[in-house]
Amino acid sequence: QVQLVESGGGLVQAGGSLRLSCAASGVIFRINAMGWYRQAPGKARELVATIPSGGSTNYADSAKGRFTISRDYAKNTVYLQMNSLKPEDTAVYYCNANMQLSGYDYWGQGTQVTVSS
């Protein structure tokens, strides 16, 4: 079992920045990759960025150049630094942990990000 707790969402004006955090606990040594996904109203959940253990980061085209994902292994925490935010970035952002071997996905409860124009 892995528990994921997100924080850092909120309301920001277009052009502003936010940093999301996701703290993992439980069987963390079996986590393969961690990442961030988002879901806007009426839309499917979509990838924002992922960071595998010891591997290179991966970003959605919409996030490239504006968002940065990072992982602090000592704190078992993954971050998403979001700059130059746009109204279309408004969504609930979910933290994800993908497990080794089984490929099972754990999800956080989600944190709301609202970008006003």
Side-chain angles (χ1 to χ4, degrees), residues 42-54:
K43 294 188 177 181
R45 190 172 298 189
E46 63 178 9
L47 167 75
V48 178
T50 60
I51 182 167
S53 298

Side-chain angles (χ1 to χ4, degrees), residues 65-116:
R66 300 188 300 126
F67 295 1
T68 302
I69 189 170
S70 60
R71 193 168 168 183
D72 186 330
Y73 291 89
K75 295 183 178 180
N76 303 316
T77 300
V78 64
Y79 303 96
L80 184 68
Q81 177 66 43
M82 303 186 293
N83 299 327
S84 302
L85 283 162
K86 305 174 182 180
E88 50 264 44
D89 294 318
T90 296
V92 177
Y93 284 70
Y94 294 92
C95 180
N96 168 271
N98 177 261
M99 307 306 287
Q100 297 173 352
L101 301 179
S102 68
Y104 186 82
D105 285 311
Y106 286 95
W107 297 93
Q109 80 283 0
T111 184
Q112 177 71 45
V113 171
T114 303
V115 184
S116 62

Side-chain angles (χ1 to χ4, degrees), residues 2-61:
V2 171
Q3 295 77 42
L4 303 172
V5 178
E6 300 120 331
S7 60
L11 173 64
V12 64
Q13 288 188 332
S17 298
L18 282 174
R19 189 176 82 152
L20 306 182
S21 300
C22 173
S25 61
V27 190
I28 56 175
F29 65 92
R30 290 184 177 175
I31 293 175
N32 176 21
M34 295 192 73
W36 290 94
Y37 291 70
R38 68 187 183 186
Q39 187 166 18
K43 294 188 177 181
R45 190 172 298 189
E46 63 178 9
L47 167 75
V48 178
T50 60
I51 182 167
S53 298
S56 58
T57 55
N58 178 51
Y59 294 93
D61 287 344

